Amino acid sequence: MGNRKVLIANRGEIACRIMHSCRQLGVSTVAVFSEADREAMHVQLADEAVFVGAAPARESYLRVDAILDAARRTGANAVHPGYGFLSENADFAAAVQDAGLIWIGPAPACIAAMGDKERARQIADAAGVPVLPGSRRFEPHDLDGLEEEARRLEYPLLVKAAAGGGGIGMRRVDRESDLHQAVQATQSMAAKAFGDGSVYLEHYVSSARHVEVQVFGYGDGSGVHLFDRDCSVQRRFQKVVEEAPAPGIPGEVRDVLYRSALSLVRAQKYSGAGTVEFVFDRHRERAWFLEMNTRIQVEHPVTELITGIDLVGWQLEQAFGSLQRVPQEAIRASGHAVECRLYAERPEKGFLPSPGPLEELRWPEESDGLRIDTGVREGDRVTPYYDPMIAKLAAWGVDRSAAIHRLERALAELKLSGLRTNAEFLRRVLGDDDFLQSRVDTGLAMAVLERYVTR
């Protein structure tokens, strides 16, 4: 790739993951770090590292000026945002490009369009993608017609941040008497998390599964899909177990998902890695568009395990003009992969974060069928400032049963002390009869938790 240098505008395991692909391609790396991360793993692995501010993210990892200054000072010519933080911030992407740097991601206009959930729904509908019934946008202090829209959509429903994602601030409402409180709470959370307090209502699908399609666009309206994933095992609307491919999806529904995802790629002339998310009603066997994430996903390892494709490597090669396009028919899936997110948290206390020292940390031995993505080592601390994820463990098998068994064994072999984790909870999910029989939906994790806490 010649003389290339990428600044990674992130931290933790995703920063380390991006560095792995950079090393494979001979690309130099620049890390940024906060006061809390001076000795962090991603800082040690980078070729260069630049301090960008105090521990709170808003004073470091969310500081566009500090990140761009770090790129200028180190001579970086490209920026990879990872996920979270500034990864879906269209203004940041534009600022990177205005500074004469390569933005490793889709065009700012695509990020803005898909980041506005109401607008994304309109684009999807125009592209012929089935869209779940929803309301107009309700700005802060503008609730005119709220009750009428809720009745039209029918209870239960979800209140969702129009500018957000990742389940942040999302609330389920089962009755009209709870509507205003849920809307106001979501608006407040959205304003803090995204700088935009607007929300919208969406019909809630019970017995729902969260199924998504990994896409990669070539920027000219063409692109490919890399099959699908199931991310239904969630706590607080955030994923904890993911797998590829999604089990038990009828072939005709899977075809609709792929066509729909690629129609969005065409409609936007999308460039790079992205994920089109759907809600699937497992009883009615119908799927509707939820949103599109314009970045690499946390759960991308399961797709890489079944396809053998380095998605981050593709991102880098595309950014530097060396990506060889791969036709759809050349992309094949083999076997099954399951991933779980290991968090420093207490499931029995409502998944309350549990920061602290990693006094002992011994990973199971990695192999061709087991992958561990982490940004911490023995002796490090999980701080209260950032997401408390310790690692992602992903296992591949010739079939779903083999992948689950390998992942269960890896969790059993894990040695970790000094703080509380969700490891035992994850083992209970993987061993749950409904999960083993592919009877998954977004309520499964909480059902397992109830049994786990009251055992």
Side-chain angles (χ1 to χ4, degrees):
M1 280 194 179
N3 184 26
R4 304 295 189 185
K5 184 182 289 189
V6 173
L7 181 144
I8 301 165
N10 219 298
R11 65 174 300 280
E13 66 86 14
I14 187 58
C16 296
R17 162 68 188 93
I18 295 165
M19 289 175 196
H20 172 78
S21 288
C22 286
R23 285 194 299 272
Q24 297 292 107
L25 296 169
V27 176
S28 299
T29 57
V30 178
V32 292
F33 65 93
S34 71
E35 184 63 45
D37 280 340
R38 282 191 178 275
E39 304 300 323
M41 184 174 170
H42 77 280
V43 176
Q44 303 298 320
L45 290 179
D47 296 307
E48 300 174 69
V50 179
F51 175 70
V52 289
R58 65 181 179 278
E59 299 176 33
S60 51
Y61 296 109
L62 294 176
R63 283 188 57 198
V64 174
D65 60 334
I67 291 171
L68 294 180
D69 183 62
R72 179 188 58 78
R73 288 161 53 194
T74 58
N77 50 16
V79 173
H80 196 307
Y83 57 72
F85 290 144
L86 296 167
S87 63
E88 292 181 286
N89 186 312
D91 291 338
F92 176 56
V96 168
Q97 294 180 338
D98 290 344
L101 304 172
I102 298 170
W103 168 252
I104 303 178
C110 285
I111 297 174
M114 291 296 103
D116 183 325
K117 304 310 178 187
E118 183 186 28
R119 186 176 170 197
R121 289 162 54 85
Q122 294 170 352
I123 292 172
D125 187 51
V129 178
V131 176
L132 200 63
S135 75
R136 71 168 181 88
R137 176 196 298 262
F138 291 95
E139 304 286 350
H141 312 299
D142 170 22
L143 301 182
D144 288 346
L146 179 69
E147 293 88 350
E148 291 80 0
E149 281 286 78
R151 294 187 202 109
R152 179 180 66 83
L153 296 173
E154 299 182 352
Y155 291 92
L157 49 80
L158 291 175
V159 183
K160 304 176 77 171
I168 296 175
M170 190 185 305
R171 282 171 168 77
R172 174 177 167 171
V173 182
D174 292 309
R175 60 188 67 85
E176 188 167 304
S177 59
D178 297 331
L179 181 60
H180 276 267
Q181 182 181 358
V183 167
Q184 289 167 357
T186 305
Q187 286 179 329
S188 176
M189 179 73 75
K192 291 177 183 177
F194 310 114
D196 183 344
S198 58
V199 301
Y200 67 98
L201 309 180
E202 187 175 80
H203 179 66
Y204 178 79
V205 179
S206 57
S207 300
R209 288 176 58 181
H210 184 133
V211 179
E212 59 191 31
V213 177
Q214 176 70 58
V215 295
F216 197 95
Y218 296 129
D220 59 2
S222 65
V224 293
H225 70 76
L226 288 85
F227 308 103
D228 52 87
R229 299 184 286 253
D230 188 289
C231 307
S232 301
V233 182
Q234 305 175 4
R235 89 286 192 263
R236 300 197 310 257
F237 296 108
Q238 293 182 312
K239 309 162 189 173
V240 286
V241 177
E242 303 101 345
E243 57 184 307
I249 301 293
E252 61 273 18
V253 174
R254 209 179 297 269
D255 289 342
V256 170
L257 298 181
Y258 296 160
R259 286 199 305 271
S260 296
L262 290 177
S263 71
L264 274 178
V265 170
R266 286 192 298 272
Q268 301 177 89
K269 295 187 177 179
Y270 190 84
S271 178
T275 301
V276 184
E277 303 195 355
F278 299 87
V279 60
F280 174 70
D281 186 326
R282 67 187 182 96
H283 292 318
R284 290 192 285 172
E285 296 192 340
R286 289 188 60 191
W288 296 271
F289 171 78
L290 272 180
E291 62 183 1
M292 184 175 189
N293 290 304
T294 54
R295 53 171 166 80
I296 197 76
Q297 289 278 87
V298 179
E299 58 271 20
H300 76 275
V302 290
T303 294
E304 294 185 328
L305 284 174
I306 66 168
T307 62
I309 290 170
D310 181 348
L311 279 164
V312 175
W314 273 22
Q315 288 183 300
L316 295 167
E317 290 179 305
Q318 183 181 59
F320 293 129
S322 59
L323 179 66
Q324 299 296 312
R325 297 190 182 198
V326 178
Q328 185 67 64
E329 59 270 18
I331 301 173
R332 302 181 185 278
S334 173
H336 199 94
V338 184
E339 171 185 294
C340 63
R341 304 187 192 187
L342 180 67
Y343 282 100
E345 65 182 16
R346 302 181 65 181
E348 74 281 5
K349 297 294 184 181
F351 300 97
L352 188 72
S354 180
L358 290 159
E359 295 174 356
E360 179 188 26
L361 180 57
R362 296 284 188 274
W363 299 114
E365 184 176 350
E366 287 194 72
S367 65
D368 289 341
L370 178 65
R371 169 174 165 174
I372 300 170
D373 286 28
T374 187
V376 295
R377 302 148 299 185
E378 187 173 87
D380 287 348
R381 293 186 67 88
V382 175
T383 78
Y385 298 106
Y386 316 116
D387 184 271
M389 187 166 68
I390 297 169
K392 301 179 306 197
L393 285 73
W396 178 90
V398 294
D399 56 27
R400 186 172 186 266
S401 178
I404 293 171
H405 178 70
R406 179 169 279 156
L407 188 55
E408 285 182 309
R409 189 169 68 244
L411 285 169
E413 293 173 357
L414 172 68
K415 304 296 183 186
L416 193 158
S417 65
L419 45 67
R420 302 290 294 272
T421 77
N422 66 338
E424 178 60 26
F425 171 71
L426 292 171
R427 291 179 65 184
R428 289 176 179 272
V429 170
L430 295 175
D432 183 80
D433 187 59
D434 283 336
F435 182 80
L436 291 172
Q437 298 300 318
S438 301
R439 295 191 296 265
V440 295
D441 60 34
T442 54
L444 177 63
M446 299 310 292
V448 172
L449 176 65
E450 185 175 348
R451 294 192 286 272
Y452 168 60
V453 170
T454 59
R455 67 189 186 282

